[in-house]
């Protein structure tokens, strides 16, 4: 049984209507439903938005008015219609820009107030610096080894306690391997030299090593050099320099092992202990096969399967390696479809880092390749080859199959977790090009983040952690600008996205404004390391001086700075002003010559336009010929006179005849 349900409303009031005809309207709603034995079925399962299902009926008067408008437009022509459309569009854009600016002013006040409140709350808690452990070789004398090499005043390496026992002034002295900076060996003539350098106060340490000396005012040994002969004396079993060679080799091995262990412990320092994964033995668990994991577990990439269990995911490689990711440790779960991409990706941005492959990772992704990432250009293939068309068809089917499989997996996981874990899909239409790392990639916003997960390393920024966004190098003559992301945690380093095209500036502003994120723009690049250090050192003074308003070009302080900068520019560029004046004089001369030429051409034009007869023109031509002949005769006579006057006078002396 099928029912067509209709409901009508009349004389409804529209408060936003401007004309009398728009203040009242009628509404008619209809739907078709089929009644089954179990439940009812809606036969019109379409989008319910008014733009998709609405049909607007107009009165005869409105139609007449529209026809008159059309006739007027036809009379005015295409230029008037385009001008009216352009004026309307410009008016709307201006209002949108004004709304955006008003919203940004409100956000500026909110950002400063929230930052002040956050800093006052954090003022009570002080950071506790972790004390570095001191490396002691032996806690008491009983642990000192009793070896023959020590009694013979030779270098001995204790691998158990990672200590080098060296003879110093006839006394066996232990040095922990952590105190040795480097070691070198050289052969000069009949002797072998072993040089050992130690860490001392003032020496170059690593960036994050800090102060490893509990008592820096004590006396330190900077270096020790040992010498041994390469010549074998009678009665000796081996060459004396053999001990130095063995010591050099063993010290290098112990030092390498110690540094590797220290690096692993440093990686594990910030690791939060995770709950154990609860395995669901049910075979109907959501599962995806033939996936690759990034970062790689081993040197070579390996395939595996991703399976969803009670409280997390487990990735199992073909070699048997396992990686567990718990649901409560996932900050962002991003699904990147294969539309316009060569891979399809499930990316997890974690709250706390996890360890696998002897390294800590906060971003883990599982992907599979959709098509051929590399193309063999050596193949001479025809454009309409059947094999090519078949391969393209297979690739389209493969994309559709993978997309449906991933979507099915996501739906099952979301129902399994009762919507606690939701996968975000990037909005490709809002994406823009940028270089957060070395290469340019497409950055796409999601509902709660800005991400790029197709390139490695991935780029994920949580929008809730962003304080404000600043655009640098925004100038008319530049094609690109930079984006700086400042976080609410001022101790965190700012994120920079370089080489963003200028045509993406307005869409990015609109997107940030819709996300209630404050943005500013400037012409110059700023030194953010010094700015953030100044804010962290004196946050109260920073916000008393106006906070982030120094980035806003409309603020008073920045206006004064701009005035001073313009004055400085005027002072520094005086020579160029003189050059411009000279150029203006030259240009004036050019313009004057052009005007003279134009006057001459105008006079010619006036003579031609006077309308003389052919007889008059011939008479003028004869007069001109006579005048030219008269001038020629005068010139020749003048030349002859000049030639006579310039000739030398005859000499008075007579030549003798022989």
């Amino acid at each position: 049984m099928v029912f067509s349900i209709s409901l009508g409303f009349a004389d409804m009031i529209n408060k936003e209507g401007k004309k009398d005809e728009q203040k009242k309207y009628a509404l008619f709603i209809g739907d078709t439903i089929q009644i089954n034995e179990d439940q009812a079925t809606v036969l019109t399962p379409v989008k319910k938005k008014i733009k998709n299902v609405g049909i607007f009926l107009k009165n005869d008067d409105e139609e007449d008015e529209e026809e008159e408008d059309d006739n007027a437009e036809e009379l005015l022509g295409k230029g008037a219609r385009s001008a009216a459309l352009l004026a309307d569009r410009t008016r709307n854009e201006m209002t949108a820009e004004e709304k955006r600016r008003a919203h940004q002013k409100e956000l500026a006040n909110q950002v400063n107030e929230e930052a002040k409140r956050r800093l006052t709350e954090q003022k009570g808690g002080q950071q506790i610096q972790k004390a570095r452990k001191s490396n002691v070789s032996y806690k008491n004398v009983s642990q000192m080894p009793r070896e023959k090499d020590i009694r013979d005043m030779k270098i001995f390496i204790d691998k158990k306690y990672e200590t080098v026992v060296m003879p110093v002034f006839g006394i066996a002295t232990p040095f922990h391997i952590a105190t040795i900076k480097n070691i070198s060996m050289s052969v000069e003539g009949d002797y072998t030299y072993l040089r050992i350098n130690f860490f001392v106060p003032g020496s170059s340490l690593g960036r994050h090593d800090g102060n490893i000396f509990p008592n820096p005012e004590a006396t330190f040994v900077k270096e020790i050099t040992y010498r041994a002969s390469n010549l074998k004396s009678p009665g000796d079993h081996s060459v004396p320099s053999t001990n130095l060679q063995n010591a050099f080799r063993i010290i290098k091995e112990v030092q390498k092992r110690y540094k590797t262990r220290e690096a692993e412990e440093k990686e594990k320092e910030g690791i939060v202990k995770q709950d154990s994964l609860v395995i669901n033995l049910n075979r109907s668990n959501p599962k995806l096969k033939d996936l690759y994991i990034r970062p790689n577990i081993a040197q070579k990439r390996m395939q595996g399967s991703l399976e969803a269990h009670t409280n997390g995911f487990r990735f199992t490689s073909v070699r048997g390696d396992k990686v567990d990711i718990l649901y409560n440790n996932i900050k962002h779960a991003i699904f990147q479809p294969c539309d316009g991409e060569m891979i399809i990706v499930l990316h997890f941005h974690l709250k706390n880092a996890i360890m696998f492959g002897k390294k800590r990772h906060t971003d883990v992704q599982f992907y599979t390749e959709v098509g051929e990432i590399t193309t063999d250009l050596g193949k001479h293939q025809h454009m309409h080859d059947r094999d090519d068309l078949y391969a393209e068809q297979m690739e389209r089917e493969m994309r559709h199959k993978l997309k449906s499989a991933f979507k099915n997996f996501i739906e099952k996981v979301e129902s399994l977790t009762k919507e606690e874990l939701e996968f975000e899909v990037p909005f490709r239409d809002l994406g823009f090009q940028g270089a957060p790392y070395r290469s340019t990639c497409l950055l796409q916003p999601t509902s709660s983040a800005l991400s790029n997960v197709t390139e490695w390393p991935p780029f994920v920024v949580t929008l809730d952690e962003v304080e404000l966004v600043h655009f640098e190098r925004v100038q008319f003559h530049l094609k690109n600008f930079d984006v700086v992301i400042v976080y609410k945690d001022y101790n965190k380093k700012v994120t920079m996205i370089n080489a963003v095209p200028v045509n993406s500036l307005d869409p990015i502003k609109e997107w940030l404004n819709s996300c209630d994120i404050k943005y500013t723009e400037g012409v110059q690049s700023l030194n953010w390391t010094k700015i953030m250090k100044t804010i962290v050192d004196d946050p109260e003074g920073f916000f008393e001086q106006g906070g982030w308003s120094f980035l806003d070009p409309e603020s008073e302080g920045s206006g004064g700075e701009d005035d001073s900068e313009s004055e400085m520019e005027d002072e520094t560029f005086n020579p160029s002003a003189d050059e411009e004046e000279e150029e203006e004089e030259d240009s004036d001369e050019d313009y004057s010559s052009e005007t003279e030429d134009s006057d001459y051409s105008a006079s010619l034009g006036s003579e031609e336009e006077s309308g003389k007869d052919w007889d008059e023109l011939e008479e003028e031509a004869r007069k001109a010929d006579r005048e030219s002949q008269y001038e020629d005769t005068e010139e020749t006579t003048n030349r002859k006179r000049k030639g006579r006057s310039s000739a030398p006078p005859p000499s008075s002396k007579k030549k003798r005849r022989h």
Side-chain angles (χ1 to χ4, degrees):
M1 188 179 293
V2 178
F3 289 95
S4 179
I5 301 172
S6 302
L7 186 62
F9 300 93
D11 295 335
M12 299 184 72
I13 298 172
N14 181 18
K15 295 180 180 179
E16 296 179 357
K18 296 180 180 178
K19 298 181 181 179
D20 295 335
E21 295 85 5
Q22 296 175 353
K23 290 182 179 179
K24 281 189 179 183
Y25 67 97
L27 185 66
F28 188 78
I29 304 170
D31 217 336
T32 306
I33 299 173
Q34 182 180 1
I35 306 298
N36 302 323
E37 294 179 358
D38 300 333
Q39 58 184 0
T41 304
V42 180
L43 298 179
T44 53
V46 294
K47 296 179 180 179
K48 301 298 183 182
K49 290 184 178 179
I50 191 68
K51 65 179 181 180
N52 297 319
V53 298
I55 299 173
F56 298 92
L57 302 177
K58 297 180 180 178
N59 297 329
D60 297 335
D61 299 336
E62 294 179 2
E63 291 178 359
D64 295 338
E65 288 178 1
E66 287 186 356
E67 288 179 359
E68 290 176 0
D69 294 339
D70 294 338
N71 295 331
E73 286 181 356
E74 289 177 2
L75 292 172
L76 290 171
K78 188 177 178 181
R81 289 199 301 272
S82 61
L85 182 64
L86 184 63
D88 187 24
R89 188 186 301 170
T90 310
R91 194 181 303 114
N92 293 333
E93 286 181 0
M94 289 298 290
T95 53
E97 180 68 22
E98 288 172 0
K99 288 180 181 177
R100 196 193 301 166
R101 287 181 180 176
H103 189 213
Q104 285 297 312
K105 286 182 181 178
E106 295 176 2
L107 288 175
N109 298 328
Q110 291 179 8
V111 165
N112 288 333
E113 290 175 2
E114 288 179 3
K116 284 181 186 177
R117 179 177 52 79
R118 194 169 60 249
L119 290 171
T120 52
E121 290 175 358
Q122 294 176 357
K123 194 175 180 181
Q126 295 179 354
Q127 293 182 353
I128 300 171
Q129 191 173 4
K130 189 176 179 181
R132 185 185 175 89
K133 64 175 184 178
S134 60
N135 297 305
V136 179
S137 298
Y138 305 111
K139 294 182 180 179
N140 49 48
V141 185
S142 61
Q143 294 178 346
M144 189 84 172
R146 313 285 186 206
E147 298 290 334
K148 184 176 181 297
D149 288 345
I150 296 176
R151 293 194 298 271
D152 294 343
M153 292 293 112
K154 293 182 179 180
I155 298 175
F156 177 75
I157 294 93
D158 188 357
K159 294 183 180 180
K160 182 181 178 182
Y161 292 98
E162 296 176 333
T163 300
V164 182
V165 182
M166 308 177 196
V168 179
F169 298 115
I171 301 170
T173 308
F175 291 90
H176 195 271
I177 197 71
T179 61
I180 296 175
K181 184 179 180 181
N182 53 44
I183 183 171
S184 62
M185 187 177 67
S186 61
V187 179
E188 298 178 7
D190 296 337
Y191 294 97
T192 298
Y193 293 88
L194 181 69
R195 182 180 178 183
I196 302 171
N197 295 324
F198 298 93
F199 284 112
V200 295
S203 63
S204 59
L205 298 173
R207 183 179 294 178
H208 303 290
D209 287 348
N211 186 13
I212 63 173
F213 308 105
N215 187 11
E217 295 181 357
T219 303
F220 288 85
V221 178
K222 187 175 182 180
E223 67 176 68
I224 295 178
T225 305
Y226 292 95
R227 187 184 75 169
S229 176
N230 294 331
L231 302 176
K232 185 178 179 181
S233 58
D236 292 341
H237 296 286
S238 60
V239 179
S241 61
T242 306
N243 175 252
L244 296 185
Q245 294 172 1
N246 292 335
F248 176 77
R249 177 177 54 82
I250 298 171
I251 288 172
K252 283 284 187 184
E253 292 176 2
V254 175
Q255 201 173 26
K256 183 179 179 181
R257 189 172 60 194
Y258 172 77
K259 287 180 178 178
T260 305
R261 193 181 72 251
E262 283 288 307
E264 290 179 2
E265 289 180 359
K266 194 173 182 180
E267 288 286 335
K268 293 179 182 177
E269 275 182 3
I271 298 296
V272 178
K273 190 176 180 181
Q274 304 292 324
D275 299 333
S276 57
L277 183 69
V278 179
I279 303 295
N280 189 0
L281 300 176
N282 191 0
R283 291 185 177 179
S284 62
N285 291 336
K287 192 174 184 179
L288 282 174
K289 296 180 180 179
D290 300 331
L291 297 179
Y292 296 102
I293 184 173
R294 280 200 296 200
N296 298 328
I297 300 174
Q299 291 182 353
K300 294 182 179 180
R301 64 174 190 170
M302 289 181 294
Q303 283 188 337
S305 59
L306 181 67
E307 189 173 1
H309 291 280
T310 306
N311 64 338
F313 297 101
R314 168 164 283 185
F315 176 79
T316 308
S317 67
V318 292
R319 198 176 67 175
D321 301 306
K322 295 178 181 178
V323 177
D324 296 338
I325 301 173
L326 301 182
Y327 298 143
N328 57 9
N329 192 30
I330 296 174
K331 185 186 287 187
H332 298 290
I334 300 172
F335 168 55
Q336 175 66 59
C338 52
D339 300 331
E341 303 288 347
M342 298 305 294
I343 59 175
I344 185 168
V345 183
L346 284 179
H347 185 90
F348 300 108
H349 184 67
L350 308 179
K351 298 175 184 175
N352 301 308
I354 61 173
M355 285 283 295
F356 64 89
K358 296 183 180 180
K359 289 185 179 180
R360 53 187 297 176
H361 306 284
T362 53
D363 289 284
V364 184
Q365 65 177 225
F366 307 95
Y367 71 98
T368 184
E369 296 174 357
V370 178
E372 293 183 0
I373 295 179
T374 58
T375 305
D376 187 4
L377 298 176
K379 295 179 181 178
H380 298 284
Q381 296 176 347
H382 195 263
M383 182 178 175
H384 300 289
D385 194 359
R386 290 185 179 181
D387 294 338
D388 287 351
L389 297 174
Y390 180 72
E392 290 178 4
Q393 180 66 24
M394 290 296 292
E395 184 177 335
R396 281 195 293 268
E397 292 178 0
M398 185 72 174
R399 285 175 181 270
H400 181 70
K401 187 178 178 181
L402 285 172
K403 203 171 176 182
S404 59
F406 272 73
K407 283 186 177 179
N408 189 22
F409 175 80
I410 289 169
E411 289 173 0
K412 288 182 179 179
V413 170
E414 288 179 348
S415 62
L416 179 66
T417 58
K418 297 178 181 178
E419 305 294 335
E420 290 182 3
L421 178 65
E422 292 184 2
F423 284 84
E424 306 173 27
V425 180
F427 303 112
R428 194 175 182 84
D429 296 337
L430 297 176
F432 58 92
Q433 296 290 333
Y437 303 111
R438 294 183 179 178
S439 60
T440 304
C441 58
L442 180 64
L443 301 170
Q444 304 176 59
T446 66
S447 57
S448 62
L450 176 65
S451 65
N452 172 263
V453 296
T454 54
E455 303 286 338
W456 195 261
F459 178 80
V460 180
V461 172
T462 307
L463 298 181
D464 291 338
E465 297 177 358
V466 176
E467 176 93 338
L468 63 90
V469 176
H470 181 67
F471 305 124
E472 292 183 343
R473 301 191 304 110
V474 180
Q475 299 181 27
F476 291 111
H477 63 278
L478 295 179
K479 295 181 180 179
N480 300 323
F481 66 96
D482 301 333
V483 178
V484 181
I485 301 173
V486 182
Y487 296 97
K488 293 179 181 177
D489 183 7
Y490 293 155
N491 294 313
K492 191 175 180 181
K493 189 179 178 182
V494 300
T495 300
M496 291 198 67
I497 304 172
N498 300 319
V500 181
V502 173
N503 54 9
S504 301
L505 182 61
D506 286 337
I508 294 173
K509 285 182 178 179
E510 192 65 35
W511 166 63
L512 291 174
N513 194 51
S514 64
C515 297
D516 293 337
I517 295 176
K518 169 68 179 170
Y519 65 82
T520 55
E521 63 179 75
V523 178
Q524 297 177 345
S525 298
L526 304 176
N527 190 346
W528 286 98
T529 306
K530 290 184 178 180
I531 291 172
M532 299 310 293
K533 187 176 183 301
T534 306
I535 297 171
V536 171
D537 292 344
D538 187 14
E540 295 177 356
F542 172 71
F543 286 105
E544 284 177 1
Q545 294 175 2
W548 295 107
S549 60
F550 77 97
L551 294 173
D552 199 346
E554 295 179 358
S555 61
E556 295 178 359
S558 63
E561 292 174 1
D562 294 340
D563 295 338
S564 61
E565 287 177 1
S566 61
E567 288 174 2
M568 291 291 290
E569 288 177 359
D570 294 338
E571 291 176 1
T572 53
F573 286 103
N574 282 331
S576 64
D578 299 336
E579 292 175 1
E580 288 179 359
E581 289 177 359
E582 292 176 1
E583 290 178 358
E584 287 178 359
E585 290 175 358
D586 297 338
S587 61
D588 292 339
E589 292 175 0
D590 297 336
Y591 285 133
S592 62
S593 62
E594 288 178 1
T595 52
E596 289 173 0
D597 295 338
S598 62
D599 295 338
Y600 177 69
S601 61
S603 63
L604 286 176
S606 62
E607 287 179 0
E608 289 174 0
E609 291 171 0
S610 60
K612 294 183 179 181
D613 297 335
W614 284 105
D615 298 334
E616 294 177 356
L617 292 173
E618 286 178 358
E619 188 65 28
E620 288 180 0
R622 289 193 194 97
K623 289 180 180 179
D625 291 340
R626 290 170 191 165
E627 290 175 358
S628 62
Q629 288 176 1
Y630 179 73
E631 289 175 358
D632 292 339
T633 53
E634 281 187 351
E635 286 180 1
T636 52
T637 52
N638 291 332
R639 284 176 185 171
K640 288 178 181 179
R641 289 172 184 172
K642 287 180 181 178
R644 290 173 183 173
S645 61
S646 61
S651 57
S652 58
K653 293 181 180 180
K654 294 182 180 179
K655 293 181 181 179
R656 294 179 181 180
R657 293 180 180 178
H658 297 285

